[in-house]
mmCIF file with all atom_site columns, all heavy atoms in Angstrom:
data_model
loop_
_atom_site.group_PDB
_atom_site.id
_atom_site.type_symbol
_atom_site.label_atom_id
_atom_site.label_alt_id
_atom_site.label_comp_id
_atom_site.label_asym_id
_atom_site.label_entity_id
_atom_site.label_seq_id
_atom_site.pdbx_PDB_ins_code
_atom_site.Cartn_x
_atom_site.Cartn_y
_atom_site.Cartn_z
_atom_site.occupancy
_atom_site.B_iso_or_equiv
_atom_site.pdbx_formal_charge
_atom_site.auth_seq_id
_atom_site.auth_comp_id
_atom_site.auth_asym_id
_atom_site.auth_atom_id
_atom_site.pdbx_PDB_model_num
ATOM 1  N N   . GLY A 1 51 ? -3.589  20.558 12.278 1.00 0.00 ? 239 GLY A N   1
ATOM 2  C CA  . GLY A 1 51 ? -2.792  21.576 12.951 1.00 0.00 ? 239 GLY A CA  1
ATOM 3  C C   . GLY A 1 51 ? -3.105  21.710 14.431 1.00 0.00 ? 239 GLY A C   1
ATOM 4  O O   . GLY A 1 51 ? -2.241  22.033 15.230 1.00 0.00 ? 239 GLY A O   1
ATOM 5  N N   . SER A 1 52 ? -4.345  21.455 14.796 1.00 0.00 ? 240 SER A N   1
ATOM 6  C CA  . SER A 1 52 ? -4.766  21.592 16.188 1.00 0.00 ? 240 SER A CA  1
ATOM 7  C C   . SER A 1 52 ? -6.124  20.927 16.339 1.00 0.00 ? 240 SER A C   1
ATOM 8  O O   . SER A 1 52 ? -6.741  20.520 15.355 1.00 0.00 ? 240 SER A O   1
ATOM 9  C CB  . SER A 1 52 ? -4.860  23.067 16.577 1.00 0.00 ? 240 SER A CB  1
ATOM 10 O OG  . SER A 1 52 ? -5.899  23.703 15.865 1.00 0.00 ? 240 SER A OG  1
ATOM 11 N N   . LYS A 1 53 ? -6.592  20.828 17.558 1.00 0.00 ? 241 LYS A N   1
ATOM 12 C CA  . LYS A 1 53 ? -7.924  20.279 17.767 1.00 0.00 ? 241 LYS A CA  1
ATOM 13 C C   . LYS A 1 53 ? -8.968  21.147 17.066 1.00 0.00 ? 241 LYS A C   1
ATOM 14 O O   . LYS A 1 53 ? -9.934  20.639 16.502 1.00 0.00 ? 241 LYS A O   1
ATOM 15 C CB  . LYS A 1 53 ? -8.231  20.204 19.267 1.00 0.00 ? 241 LYS A CB  1
ATOM 16 C CG  . LYS A 1 53 ? -9.521  19.474 19.578 1.00 0.00 ? 241 LYS A CG  1
ATOM 17 C CD  . LYS A 1 53 ? -9.909  19.586 21.046 1.00 0.00 ? 241 LYS A CD  1
ATOM 18 C CE  . LYS A 1 53 ? -11.149 18.759 21.342 1.00 0.00 ? 241 LYS A CE  1
ATOM 19 N NZ  . LYS A 1 53 ? -11.622 18.943 22.741 1.00 0.00 ? 241 LYS A NZ  1
ATOM 20 N N   . GLU A 1 54 ? -8.745  22.436 17.114 1.00 0.00 ? 242 GLU A N   1
ATOM 21 C CA  . GLU A 1 54 ? -9.683  23.358 16.479 1.00 0.00 ? 242 GLU A CA  1
ATOM 22 C C   . GLU A 1 54 ? -9.736  23.125 14.959 1.00 0.00 ? 242 GLU A C   1
ATOM 23 O O   . GLU A 1 54 ? -10.823 23.038 14.378 1.00 0.00 ? 242 GLU A O   1
ATOM 24 C CB  . GLU A 1 54 ? -9.243  24.793 16.780 1.00 0.00 ? 242 GLU A CB  1
ATOM 25 C CG  . GLU A 1 54 ? -10.377 25.783 16.893 1.00 0.00 ? 242 GLU A CG  1
ATOM 26 C CD  . GLU A 1 54 ? -9.849  27.179 17.176 1.00 0.00 ? 242 GLU A CD  1
ATOM 27 O OE1 . GLU A 1 54 ? -8.660  27.322 17.552 1.00 0.00 ? 242 GLU A OE1 1
ATOM 28 O OE2 . GLU A 1 54 ? -10.627 28.132 17.004 1.00 0.00 ? 242 GLU A OE2 1
ATOM 29 N N   . ASP A 1 55 ? -8.582  23.050 14.327 1.00 0.00 ? 243 ASP A N   1
ATOM 30 C CA  . ASP A 1 55 ? -8.545  22.779 12.880 1.00 0.00 ? 243 ASP A CA  1
ATOM 31 C C   . ASP A 1 55 ? -9.203  21.434 12.580 1.00 0.00 ? 243 ASP A C   1
ATOM 32 O O   . ASP A 1 55 ? -9.921  21.291 11.585 1.00 0.00 ? 243 ASP A O   1
ATOM 33 C CB  . ASP A 1 55 ? -7.102  22.771 12.382 1.00 0.00 ? 243 ASP A CB  1
ATOM 34 C CG  . ASP A 1 55 ? -6.479  24.159 12.399 1.00 0.00 ? 243 ASP A CG  1
ATOM 35 O OD1 . ASP A 1 55 ? -7.239  25.143 12.472 1.00 0.00 ? 243 ASP A OD1 1
ATOM 36 O OD2 . ASP A 1 55 ? -5.239  24.257 12.369 1.00 0.00 ? 243 ASP A OD2 1
ATOM 37 N N   . PHE A 1 56 ? -8.934  20.464 13.427 1.00 0.00 ? 244 PHE A N   1
ATOM 38 C CA  . PHE A 1 56 ? -9.565  19.155 13.281 1.00 0.00 ? 244 PHE A CA  1
ATOM 39 C C   . PHE A 1 56 ? -11.078 19.288 13.315 1.00 0.00 ? 244 PHE A C   1
ATOM 40 O O   . PHE A 1 56 ? -11.786 18.735 12.467 1.00 0.00 ? 244 PHE A O   1
ATOM 41 C CB  . PHE A 1 56 ? -9.078  18.225 14.392 1.00 0.00 ? 244 PHE A CB  1
ATOM 42 C CG  . PHE A 1 56 ? -9.730  16.879 14.421 1.00 0.00 ? 244 PHE A CG  1
ATOM 43 C CD1 . PHE A 1 56 ? -9.576  15.995 13.360 1.00 0.00 ? 244 PHE A CD1 1
ATOM 44 C CD2 . PHE A 1 56 ? -10.493 16.490 15.506 1.00 0.00 ? 244 PHE A CD2 1
ATOM 45 C CE1 . PHE A 1 56 ? -10.165 14.744 13.396 1.00 0.00 ? 244 PHE A CE1 1
ATOM 46 C CE2 . PHE A 1 56 ? -11.089 15.246 15.541 1.00 0.00 ? 244 PHE A CE2 1
ATOM 47 C CZ  . PHE A 1 56 ? -10.926 14.366 14.488 1.00 0.00 ? 244 PHE A CZ  1
ATOM 48 N N   . GLY A 1 57 ? -11.570 20.053 14.280 1.00 0.00 ? 245 GLY A N   1
ATOM 49 C CA  . GLY A 1 57 ? -13.012 20.275 14.381 1.00 0.00 ? 245 GLY A CA  1
ATOM 50 C C   . GLY A 1 57 ? -13.586 20.851 13.100 1.00 0.00 ? 245 GLY A C   1
ATOM 51 O O   . GLY A 1 57 ? -14.632 20.422 12.620 1.00 0.00 ? 245 GLY A O   1
ATOM 52 N N   . ALA A 1 58 ? -12.884 21.824 12.538 1.00 0.00 ? 246 ALA A N   1
ATOM 53 C CA  . ALA A 1 58 ? -13.361 22.454 11.310 1.00 0.00 ? 246 ALA A CA  1
ATOM 54 C C   . ALA A 1 58 ? -13.443 21.432 10.177 1.00 0.00 ? 246 ALA A C   1
ATOM 55 O O   . ALA A 1 58 ? -14.391 21.447 9.383  1.00 0.00 ? 246 ALA A O   1
ATOM 56 C CB  . ALA A 1 58 ? -12.444 23.620 10.930 1.00 0.00 ? 246 ALA A CB  1
#
Side-chain angles (χ1 to χ4, degrees):
Chain A
S240 66
K241 188 188 184 185
E242 212 181 345
D243 290 343
F244 175 63

